Amino acid sequence: WGKGLILGMGAFMLYITTMGVYMFRQAPDDFDHQYYEKGLAFDSVYNQEKQVFTDKVQPKIKFDRNNLYVNFIEPADGSILFQRLADPNLDKLLAFKSDSGNVVNVPLNAFSRGRWDLTFTWKNGGKKYIYQQKINLQ
């Protein structure tokens, strides 16, 4: 029994040491450094998203190969955040102000093809709104 216990403990210690070295050589996990701040602001963002549906002001989104057209119910002034989950370095924030027909035209020439998450943030009549939409550019 003595030799078996010593060999078992030695093998276990070697396993633990190997796993410790392996874990410390791994790249650090990418996590959201703004996690707590986003948690504190969650209620505000949720209320702004809910306000879009309460006031029935969802923008209508249409796009073709070269342009994105966003049609608002009323004049709007705000920003669009283009997020590319595959490559966060491609994320872009664009400010906008709707024209006389309440339409915003965004040229898509500078955007790579693939899936994008759009976050619209705008003000209208003293109220703030947030609307999210996923699109796939061909």
Side-chain angles (χ1 to χ4, degrees):
W1 281 91
K3 290 179 187 175
L5 288 174
I6 296 298
L7 286 174
M9 283 183 20
F12 181 70
M13 288 173 39
L14 180 63
Y15 171 75
I16 294 298
T17 303
T18 304
M19 292 308 293
V21 170
Y22 174 75
M23 288 177 62
F24 281 109
R25 287 190 178 182
Q26 292 296 317
D29 289 336
D30 289 333
F31 64 94
D32 190 358
H33 294 284
Q34 302 297 324
Y35 175 77
Y36 294 108
E37 289 80 3
K38 287 181 181 178
L40 294 173
F42 177 79
D43 287 340
S44 172
V45 171
Y46 176 76
N47 288 337
Q48 291 176 19
E49 288 177 345
K50 192 171 127 182
Q51 193 67 41
V52 170
F53 295 102
T54 302
D55 293 348
K56 298 179 182 172
V57 293
Q58 298 95 329
K60 292 179 177 64
I61 300 169
K62 295 179 184 175
F63 61 94
D64 58 22
R65 200 170 265 278
N66 299 321
N67 292 302
L68 172 76
Y69 303 101
V70 185
N71 190 359
F72 290 92
I73 304 298
E74 298 174 349
D77 184 15
S79 64
I80 305 172
L81 175 61
F82 285 81
Q83 289 181 299
R84 180 70 184 258
L85 299 180
D87 187 4
N89 294 326
L90 297 176
D91 292 357
K92 293 183 183 182
L93 181 65
L94 303 174
F96 71 83
K97 185 168 181 130
S98 61
D99 61 14
S100 60
N102 301 332
V103 176
V104 175
N105 181 13
V106 179
L108 296 176
N109 299 335
F111 294 95
S112 61
R113 303 301 173 214
R115 182 172 174 228
W116 289 86
D117 289 347
L118 306 180
T119 303
F120 299 90
T121 306
W122 76 95
K123 294 179 187 176
N124 185 347
K127 294 182 181 178
K128 294 181 181 180
Y129 300 102
I130 294 177
Y131 182 72
Q132 296 180 353
Q133 180 74 37
K134 296 175 186 350
I135 64 169
N136 191 15
L137 298 179
Q138 301 294 329

